[in-house]
Amino acid sequence: MMDNKVHRTDEFQILVVDDTPENLKLITELLASHGYRVRAASSGRLALKTVAVELPDLILLDVKMPDMDGYEVCRRLKSEERSRMIPVIFISALADTEDKVHGFRAGGVDYITKPFQAEEVHARVSTHLKLHFYQGELEEKNKQMESSYLRLQELENLRDQLTHMIVHDMRNLLAGISSSLQLLKDHGEGISDGIYARQLSAVLLSVNTLTTMANNLLDISKMEARQMKLNLTEFNPHDLMVEAMEKMEAVRELRDIRFDASQHVKHVSADYDILLRVVINLLDNAIKFTAADGAIAMGVEPKEDGVLFSVRDNGPGIPVAYQEKIFEKFGQVEIRQSARKYSTGLGLAFCKLAVEAHHGKIWVESEAGAGSTFIFEIPGGGSTVDASNTTNPILA
């Protein structure tokens, strides 16, 4: 019997081609007795038609046949991409070396001389089916390796482009910091307090942005490697949203940011600092894509199995084609290359990994020109929160 690692014999189909009915019957019965599924063809042309309908796993092919001999049948099989890998064993009364060489040149893998022995036929068939199976496995693994190599090259290229994009963004921020500090150094005593304060605020904002970018980059690597531990505590989701709003107060300018804290929600068991950064990233993203006099709404909504957090802006919106890519680390590269910018670098990639680390999910609901709502869900929850205990529900 065949090696169990390959397959059972009844999983293989063998095509026997011979113009002599007695030989055809003998070989068919022999192979069937060993469990193979066998089909028979009495001519070369009929064999080609049979293969065109269904590919066998191996072909036993008589050499001497009228109209089209076995060599020609084999050459035609090997000339077709669909059938070229089928192993062909020639069966013939021709025993000269020249005849065997002719068969190998035509594409055969073996040669059985008539009159043949049943054990020899079975042994050769079994051997070449195993070889064919392992060859198929090897080719499949080679294709997988080639695909993996091409994917690795693609990822390396994307990584290089992403690195260039991040460095470019950081360099712009550093150039702004340098310019502001140089202005303060050269003309600090001669400029008004208002200009001095604005320049200093710009420097602090750029430094905070650089810090956020660096933290996101480092934490994304940790989360991808599953090396970032969560510090789980139970807290009031309203407090999280209010603190995020307060931290972004200095950069909101005239934008109206509101938070509806009227709904009772459950306490959340999560890493407070990580989720605070998620909300700040979403809020920062909303501020950057909302007009200076635009509006941003933040919300917390109770669910039966958790809590929904949302940040809605009235910015330009995001087309459907980009709504998943904006959460992907390398998706930012493609979006930037298309001369579009729907996020602020790796912030959304961090949000996705951070939420998923809490076994939650994050998504965006948006239409081009109609604003965007970023939503994430954190499962589970503790006791119900009384909304009346939440302070500073509105920053207008």
Side-chain angles (χ1 to χ4, degrees):
M1 293 295 291
M2 298 191 79
D3 188 341
N4 289 333
K5 186 180 179 182
V6 182
H7 280 298
R8 299 193 314 271
T9 55
D10 61 0
E11 295 182 47
F12 290 98
Q13 179 172 277
I14 300 173
L15 175 63
V16 180
V17 187
D18 198 312
D19 65 321
T20 304
E22 293 80 6
N23 289 339
L24 201 61
K25 183 174 183 295
L26 180 62
I27 299 176
T28 298
E29 290 179 350
L30 167 64
L31 294 174
S33 69
H34 287 283
Y36 296 108
R37 293 181 293 112
V38 187
R39 300 188 70 180
S42 58
S43 70
R45 296 192 183 280
L46 185 57
L48 293 175
K49 290 181 180 179
T50 302
V51 172
V53 174
E54 184 178 5
L55 292 176
D57 296 293
L58 182 141
I59 298 175
L60 288 173
L61 182 59
D62 186 25
V63 173
K64 286 289 186 178
M65 293 185 295
D67 192 21
M68 183 185 301
D69 65 21
Y71 299 138
E72 178 61 23
V73 173
C74 188
R75 280 191 289 268
R76 294 196 183 189
L77 289 170
K78 299 303 176 180
S79 68
E80 297 290 336
E81 179 66 26
R82 184 171 176 269
S83 58
R84 68 181 183 85
M85 296 304 297
I86 303 173
V88 175
I89 300 177
F90 286 108
I91 299 179
S92 176
L94 303 174
D96 292 343
T97 301
E98 183 178 347
D99 296 318
K100 294 181 180 180
V101 171
H102 193 182
F104 290 131
R105 285 176 177 170
V109 297
D110 208 343
Y111 205 101
I112 299 175
T113 304
K114 296 179 181 179
F116 50 78
Q117 297 294 320
E119 292 79 4
E120 180 188 8
V121 173
H122 177 238
R124 291 180 185 271
V125 166
S126 176
T127 297
H128 286 290
L129 280 174
K130 289 179 182 178
L131 290 173
H132 180 57
F133 174 78
Y134 289 128
Q135 182 181 12
E137 270 199 338
L138 181 60
E139 287 188 354
E140 182 62 30
K141 289 180 179 178
N142 285 338
K143 289 179 181 178
Q144 292 175 359
M145 289 180 63
E146 183 179 1
S147 177
S148 297
Y149 175 71
L150 292 174
R151 178 56 180 163
L152 181 60
Q153 283 188 316
E154 179 185 353
L155 290 175
E156 288 181 347
N157 182 48
L158 287 171
R159 182 198 61 193
D160 292 342
Q161 294 181 61
L162 181 63
T163 301
H164 176 77
M165 183 182 83
I166 293 171
V167 170
H168 178 269
D169 290 347
M170 288 183 165
R171 186 173 60 187
N172 287 343
L173 289 168
L174 288 170
I177 292 172
S178 178
S179 176
S180 295
L181 291 177
Q182 190 66 45
L183 176 65
L184 295 177
K185 177 186 176 183
D186 295 342
H187 307 286
E189 295 180 358
I191 61 177
S192 67
D193 291 343
I195 294 177
Y196 192 96
R198 283 197 297 272
Q199 290 297 320
L200 189 58
S201 294
V203 169
L204 290 173
L205 177 60
S206 294
V207 170
N208 288 337
T209 302
L210 281 170
T211 302
T212 298
M213 292 174 68
N215 287 337
N216 286 342
L217 188 60
L218 292 172
D219 289 342
I220 282 173
S221 298
K222 289 181 182 178
M223 288 181 179
E224 287 178 331
R226 300 184 183 276
Q227 295 176 346
M228 191 166 190
K229 295 182 179 179
L230 300 179
N231 179 27
L232 301 180
T233 59
E234 191 171 291
F235 58 86
N236 181 344
H238 291 161
D239 294 339
L240 180 80
M241 302 299 269
V242 170
E243 182 173 350
M245 295 168 68
E246 291 173 345
K247 287 185 177 296
M248 300 302 291
E249 170 67 11
V251 299
R252 72 182 182 93
E253 297 178 336
L254 298 177
R255 296 171 184 85
D256 179 28
I257 303 178
R258 292 182 175 269
F259 170 48
D260 180 6
S262 62
Q263 286 188 300
H264 295 322
V265 293
K266 295 178 180 179
H267 276 89
V268 171
S269 179
D271 188 313
Y272 184 93
D273 292 333
I274 292 294
L275 288 193
L276 178 62
R277 286 177 55 194
V278 170
V279 176
I280 287 175
N281 269 293
L282 296 180
L283 189 52
D284 180 60
N285 204 66
I287 289 172
K288 285 183 169 62
F289 294 100
T290 299
D293 58 349
I296 298 171
M298 303 173 67
V300 176
E301 179 183 344
K303 303 293 288 186
E304 183 178 348
D305 55 352
V307 178
L308 288 183
F309 298 79
S310 63
V311 177
R312 184 178 74 249
D313 64 63
N314 60 358
I318 304 169
V320 174
Y322 293 104
Q323 289 182 12
E324 290 188 12
K325 292 183 182 297
I326 58 174
F327 293 104
E328 299 172 2
K329 182 171 67 174
F330 293 128
Q332 298 302 321
V333 175
E334 179 183 337
I335 293 172
R336 289 284 188 95
Q337 288 176 340
S338 63
R340 294 175 172 87
K341 192 173 180 181
Y342 298 115
S343 71
T344 56
L346 293 177
L348 293 181
F350 165 79
C351 291
K352 181 175 187 293
L353 289 171
V355 170
E356 290 178 348
H358 288 83
H359 306 290
K361 58 182 179 180
I362 186 170
W363 68 96
V364 62
E365 296 176 356
S366 179
E367 293 182 14
S372 304
T373 302
F374 285 86
I375 307 167
F376 68 93
E377 180 178 2
I378 300 300
S383 58
T384 301
V385 177
D386 184 353
S388 63
N389 293 329
T390 301
T391 58
N392 294 329
I394 297 176
L395 291 178

